Amino acid sequence: MDRQLISRLAHAHHPIAAPLTDESVARLLDRATAGTDAGLALDLGCGEGAWLVRALAARPHWRAVGVDLDAAALTLARESAEALGVVRRIGLHHVDAREFSSAEPFDLVLCVGATHAFGGLLPTLAAAREHLAPGGRVLVGEGFWEREPSQAALDGLGVARDDYADLATTTDRVMAEGWTPVSGYVSSPQEWDDYEFAWTGTLAAWALDHPDHPDAAPAQAAADRHRQEWLHGYRGTFGFVTYLLRQD
């Protein structure tokens, strides 16, 4: 079953593809756009555009650009933008985020839960810097180790121990690259559980509702596997931090 389709189905009731509540997203966007009545935002790996359409709906003088490889997700992003009346202020590009270029710099660059597109947090920040206007801000979300991971946690996530670090080390590495955290938020255990139950539950419900679909069995298997990897692997071990950064 196509991984992009799995992700779209799993996020149907949790369009923010990260362990963050709607309230946390709104608060982070408020901080990221504070003091700026108008601006231009870029989301690298925007998926269904959930961050951007929310930002535009609350900020009538902002514009936005979203970039993603999933054409179907971009179609959903456009539909959401139309429903909220912001479609004229958003541009959506079906292109690899690593290859996107723009003649216009951005006041805010976002990449929350999509740093894998660049090979990790620091390469993501290097890419964001190329798009950032002077004085601009970056909102980036990344995983970290809440505690030393077990082999079950590593297997569940499909990563190596050194792919992530603890929160202190992760922050030190960000600062060593010339970034200053001006705000940040660590997702709560409740946010993690809500996200994972939404991910697995929505995908499993789709399979139950479409028993004759050729993807029903693969979808159910993906939900069951993910639930097992989470509950018996990385739950309580893997954390998620969203930084608001400015260049030194």
Side-chain angles (χ1 to χ4, degrees), residues 47-63:
E48 297 176 19
W51 285 90
L52 294 183
V53 296
R54 294 178 190 211
L56 295 182
R59 297 158 186 83
H61 302 298
W62 273 74
R63 295 176 295 123

Side-chain angles (χ1 to χ4, degrees), residues 110-134:
L110 304 96
C111 187
V112 182
T115 59
H116 56 273
F118 297 92
L121 176 59
L122 299 186
T124 298
L125 292 176
R129 180 179 277 119
E130 297 300 315
H131 297 293
L132 203 60

Side-chain angles (χ1 to χ4, degrees), residues 9-239:
L9 292 173
H11 288 103
H13 298 300
H14 198 297
I16 296 296
L20 293 160
T21 63
D22 291 340
E23 293 77 14
S24 297
V25 170
R27 190 164 55 248
L28 285 163
L29 286 172
D30 284 344
R31 293 173 181 171
T33 59
T36 53
D37 294 331
L40 180 61
L42 168 67
D43 192 341
L44 296 168
C46 68
E48 297 176 19
W51 285 90
L52 294 183
V53 296
R54 294 178 190 211
L56 295 182
R59 297 158 186 83
H61 302 298
W62 273 74
R63 295 176 295 123
V65 172
V67 178
D68 204 276
L69 275 175
D70 188 345
L74 292 175
T75 297
L76 293 174
R78 182 169 299 280
E79 292 173 355
S80 296
E82 290 174 346
L84 290 172
V86 301
V87 70
R88 293 187 179 182
R89 292 188 282 126
I90 189 170
L92 299 168
H93 298 266
H94 182 216
V95 65
D96 191 319
R98 295 170 297 180
E99 299 174 0
F100 174 75
S101 62
S102 172
E104 191 172 9
F106 294 86
D107 303 290
L108 174 63
V109 177
L110 304 96
C111 187
V112 182
T115 59
H116 56 273
F118 297 92
L121 176 59
L122 299 186
T124 298
L125 292 176
R129 180 179 277 119
E130 297 300 315
H131 297 293
L132 203 60
R137 301 166 185 174
V138 171
L139 193 65
V140 61
E142 177 71 321
F144 69 93
W145 298 127
E146 291 269 16
R147 62 184 183 185
E148 187 64 25
S150 65
Q151 190 59 50
L154 298 174
D155 292 343
L157 292 165
V159 302
R161 168 65 180 82
D162 292 341
D163 287 346
Y164 297 96
D166 60 32
L167 182 60
T169 302
T170 303
T171 305
D172 289 345
R173 290 173 178 173
V174 168
M175 296 181 67
E177 293 296 313
W179 298 93
T180 296
V182 294
S183 187
Y185 180 73
V186 174
S187 296
S188 69
Q190 184 65 58
E191 285 174 304
W192 260 115
D193 286 351
D194 288 349
Y195 175 65
E196 296 290 11
F197 272 124
W199 199 105
T200 56
T202 304
L203 187 59
W206 182 87
L208 292 171
D209 290 340
H210 301 82
D212 298 325
H213 195 285
D215 284 331
Q220 184 67 63
D224 291 345
R225 182 172 58 253
H226 189 111
R227 189 184 304 107
Q228 177 80 10
E229 292 167 345
W230 161 50
L231 290 174
H232 295 277
Y234 58 86
R235 183 174 185 262
T237 297
F238 197 53

